[in-house]
Amino acid sequence: MLNFNRKRSISWLALISLLSLLVVVAGCGQANSTPVSSNETAANYPNKTVTIIVGHAPGGSTDVIARALQPYLQKELGGTVVADNVDGGGGNTALSKLYKSPPDGYNILLTPFPSSILGELVKDGDFKVKDFTYIHGVTGGDYNSIFVKYDSPYQDLKSLVEANKKGKLTLSGSGIGTNSHLTLNLLEKASGSKFEYVSYDSGTEAAVAVAGGHTISGIGNIVSLKQLADEKKIRILAVFGAQRHPNFPDIPTATELGYANTAMDVSVGIIAPPKVPADIVEKLASALDKAIDSPEFKKQAADLGSNIVSSGPEKFKQDALSQYDEVNSLKDDLKPQ
């Protein structure tokens, strides 16, 4: 009996030793998967390329701002920064890619609002806009505007709307569930006149379609229209803002012209995947703050026609999501029938 108990004690000791060894081995095997402390991550960030994703084709309003901002952000971060167009789905392809990216600050997205909200609520995107990490606001008040070919018989918004009431006119935009589509919905409600909407992959392509006579009119961000307007290939009839755009003071608002409840702010900013560590956010936001505040970038943005509104993470998120409930109330009107 004594021998049996001794053997049993030895067996238990052996089992305990074996279990301890397994715990140590398992711990060693998991060392690489344990998250590095956020302080260490921030100290080393960035140690590889940071990509500014742009959710639309080259030449659009977000694309030109991203490419203007890229060298200044690269200088302030002290690492390589590139811009990459991931177009498709009116911006949803890029939003989906970002949502699934690691929360390490190496993939960020320059995106417009409320278009990103529309991507979730109207186009059933596989992401939650409120979950993204908000890094920094870049522009604001860069309203959508309505335009026609420069030599169009419709020289003002009223004549265009009245002609449309007699027979549907074509109007191009950057796709279902985007800022241009929402703006059109507001105009149609205010005017009691429904246009034939023609979707393109970007506001620039929609503008080129009007300049080429493929569609009668179009709605797009005023920044993406500047070059064609300066070249007198298109004529901008009105902006959909609470006030006139500071870089286009001669263009009236739709509200001024009698179309109430059509004002809609359009902002653009940098977001990142959900749950990016706070110190990475701080480092990125600080670099963006300096980049956006540089006189060279401000001048370049003004030359592009863009209105800089620089805001930190909390203010940017608050401003960007201020339209969430409004868009949610309109989503049924905006979904494809």
Side-chain angles (χ1 to χ4, degrees):
M1 187 71 175
L2 180 64
N3 288 340
F4 175 76
N5 284 336
R6 186 164 182 252
K7 287 180 182 178
R8 185 168 61 181
S9 298
I10 292 170
S11 297
W12 277 111
L13 286 170
L15 180 59
I16 291 168
S17 298
L18 178 60
L19 288 172
S20 298
L21 179 61
L22 288 172
V23 169
V24 171
V25 170
C28 291
Q30 292 176 352
N32 291 334
S33 62
T34 302
V36 180
S37 75
S38 60
N39 286 334
E40 289 177 314
T41 303
N44 296 328
Y45 176 86
N47 57 29
K48 60 181 181 180
T49 299
V50 175
T51 300
I52 304 174
I53 301 169
V54 181
H56 296 278
S61 56
T62 51
D63 179 69
V64 295
I65 289 297
R67 294 187 185 280
L69 183 61
Q70 176 266 329
Y72 302 101
L73 178 58
Q74 179 169 276
K75 175 186 174 183
E76 297 300 336
L77 274 180
T80 303
V81 177
V82 299
D84 181 32
N85 295 87
V86 181
D87 56 322
N92 266 29
T93 302
L95 286 159
S96 178
K97 177 180 179 177
L98 185 76
Y99 197 71
K100 298 167 187 174
S101 295
D104 54 12
Y106 288 100
N107 282 303
I108 57 179
L109 173 67
L110 184 71
T111 191
F113 287 86
S115 184
S116 297
I117 299 169
L118 290 161
E120 175 194 336
L121 298 178
V122 175
K123 294 185 289 187
D124 302 319
D126 57 348
F127 51 84
K128 299 293 182 185
V129 172
K130 292 182 179 181
D131 289 348
F132 284 113
T133 303
Y134 287 73
I135 307 295
H136 210 286
V138 182
T139 72
D142 283 337
Y143 312 123
N144 277 320
S145 57
I146 188 163
F147 56 95
V148 293
K149 193 174 181 182
Y150 191 79
D151 59 0
S152 167
Y154 313 113
Q155 297 287 296
D156 54 55
L157 181 55
K158 183 178 179 181
S159 64
L160 180 70
V161 168
E162 292 305 313
N164 188 58
K165 287 179 179 178
K166 296 174 183 176
K168 272 191 182 182
L169 301 180
T170 53
L171 183 145
S172 59
S174 54
I176 299 295
T178 62
N179 287 341
S180 68
H181 187 217
L182 173 56
T183 304
L184 175 60
N185 180 265
L186 297 176
L187 175 61
E188 289 178 336
K189 285 183 175 180
S191 66
S193 176
K194 194 169 183 64
F195 287 78
E196 183 183 336
Y197 188 61
V198 183
S199 296
Y200 288 86
D201 288 335
S202 71
T204 301
E205 291 180 32
V208 170
V210 173
H214 304 294
T215 55
I216 299 297
S217 59
I219 288 179
N221 189 291
I222 199 163
V223 177
S224 64
L225 305 176
K226 187 177 186 303
Q227 183 176 347
L228 288 172
D230 287 347
E231 294 172 354
K232 296 188 176 181
K233 292 181 179 177
I234 62 170
R235 182 187 300 275
I236 302 174
L237 304 180
V239 295
F240 296 93
Q243 56 193 13
R244 295 192 180 198
H245 193 287
N247 295 328
F248 302 87
D250 295 333
I251 300 174
T253 68
T255 304
E256 283 178 59
L257 300 175
Y259 301 97
N261 302 315
T262 55
M264 184 189 79
D265 190 24
V266 175
S267 61
V268 171
I270 297 278
I271 62 174
K275 300 180 180 179
V276 174
D279 49 3
I280 293 292
V281 173
E282 184 179 351
K283 195 164 187 178
L284 258 173
S286 177
L288 280 162
D289 207 43
K290 293 173 185 174
I292 295 166
D293 197 45
S294 69
E296 296 86 0
F297 173 71
K298 284 183 174 179
K299 182 182 183 307
Q300 197 169 346
D303 290 343
L304 291 167
S306 192
N307 187 43
I308 295 299
V309 177
S310 180
S311 56
E314 290 191 14
K315 180 69 163 60
F316 170 43
K317 183 174 184 178
Q318 179 185 349
D319 290 346
L321 296 182
S322 65
Q323 298 161 317
Y324 195 94
D325 292 340
E326 181 183 358
V327 172
N328 196 30
S329 70
L330 296 171
K331 67 180 181 181
D332 291 338
D333 292 336
L334 297 169
K335 286 190 174 184
Q337 301 300 316

